[in-house]
Amino acid sequence: MDTATVERFEADRPRLASLAYRLLGSAADAEDVVQDAFLRWQAADRDRIEVPEAWLTKVVTNLALDRLRSAQARRERAVGAWLPEPLLDGDPMLGPAATVEQRESVSLAVLMLLERLPPTERAVYVLREAFAYRHNEIAEILGISVSASQQHALRARRHVAAERNAGEVDREAARRIVEAFMAAAASGETDRLVSLLTDDATAVTDGFGMLEKLRYESVPDRIAAVIRAGFKPTPAKRGLAGGPLSVHAVVVNGSPAALAVVDDRAVGLVVLDPKGDKIAGLVSMASRGRLDRVTEQWRRGEHEAPILENW
């Protein structure tokens, strides 16, 4: 390919990666899909492509849907065995964030809700809500009718609206929320933690990197007991982490989060879903593979002072 053709694709790469991430919930898979799209762009008869942006969007969307529908993906993404890959605030793969809908579409809470939708319904929601495609354009991309696109969008929107907890979180607000959470967690007082949680709070964990099966809890005192035990420092935990940790308040996929770091490497992450002055949900992760991109982004940025040092 000539330089102009490569540059045309590269100009669209960030948008395509953001689209693929919203569809797949994995930055690594999104990058693979975009690279596959580049190979198709390279092999295509580009003189016959009237609107490159539309052509590339269609290719990336359908490559992502093929992955979602594959037998391997169904096994990997079975309920109780899958979580989205988290992204730190500022990661270019988060993509467009000009509207509330765009910001919500990349939150961990919404990505987990979208995981329950059929692939086509998920694609319609992402294309409509996050990228503002018209239904006739979505119909062309997915090979469905305009009325089908409208119906898929309505069902997906209802599903997400029924369960999501919309809210705007900036860095200052995130730090306040995380500081309150960490103070309660470090205190060792279960009642103090329970007071921060809503009555219907939920928690999901990847087993702190040691278990494949995710754990779901929906009783505040049980969640508080797990948090208290998890945040109690011990020599064994420090050994597992690779040394004393520092805990920082960050924004992950638009939500406040506590990030545990050892020697500039992310070793643990707790993403909070605030509701008013309480916490409605927690997602904790410590699988190294799931935190690789967070580590990469962390090392590139500047950071505020930690909330906890030498934990």
Side-chain angles (χ1 to χ4, degrees), residues 18-85:
S18 174
L19 169 61
Y21 173 73
R22 282 169 164 82
L23 291 171
L24 296 168
S26 164
D29 287 349
E31 289 177 336
D32 288 346
V33 161
V34 173
Q35 190 58 31
D36 287 346
F38 176 75
L39 296 177
R40 297 199 179 197
W41 173 249
Q42 185 179 35
D45 182 356
R46 291 180 295 279
D47 290 337
R48 301 183 63 181
I49 298 175
E50 295 181 4
V51 185
E53 178 183 332
W55 188 90
L56 290 169
T57 298
K58 183 173 184 176
V59 169
V60 166
T61 299
N62 284 285
L63 285 172
L65 290 180
D66 287 345
R67 287 201 173 216
L68 287 174
R69 291 169 177 148
S70 71
Q72 179 181 357
R74 288 197 298 271
R75 288 193 299 271
E76 291 175 350
R77 305 169 77 94
V79 173
W82 182 86
L83 278 177
E85 185 177 352

Side-chain angles (χ1 to χ4, degrees), residues 111-186:
L111 289 174
M112 291 170 70
L113 289 173
L114 293 181
E115 182 65 15
R116 305 177 199 172
L117 300 181
T120 300
E121 202 167 297
R122 179 173 185 160
V124 170
Y125 180 88
V126 169
L127 289 167
R128 181 69 179 161
E129 299 297 321
F131 294 90
Y133 278 92
R134 297 188 296 272
H135 283 296
N136 64 314
E137 296 171 317
I138 295 171
E140 170 62 24
I141 290 169
L142 298 176
I144 60 177
S145 67
V146 171
S147 62
S149 175
Q150 292 168 336
Q151 291 167 6
H152 284 310
L154 180 60
R155 284 196 295 268
R157 199 177 296 117
R158 284 175 176 170
H159 176 79
V160 173
E163 298 190 51
R164 72 185 175 191
N165 173 42
E168 296 291 315
V169 178
D170 58 24
R171 287 184 176 274
E172 184 177 342
R175 187 174 182 90
R176 289 196 302 269
I177 294 167
V178 174
E179 283 178 342
F181 170 76
M182 290 302 304

Side-chain angles (χ1 to χ4, degrees), residues 194 197-202 218-220 278-279:
V194 170
L197 302 174
T198 63
D199 292 339
D200 58 351
T202 61
S218 57
V219 181
K278 290 183 176 287
I279 296 169

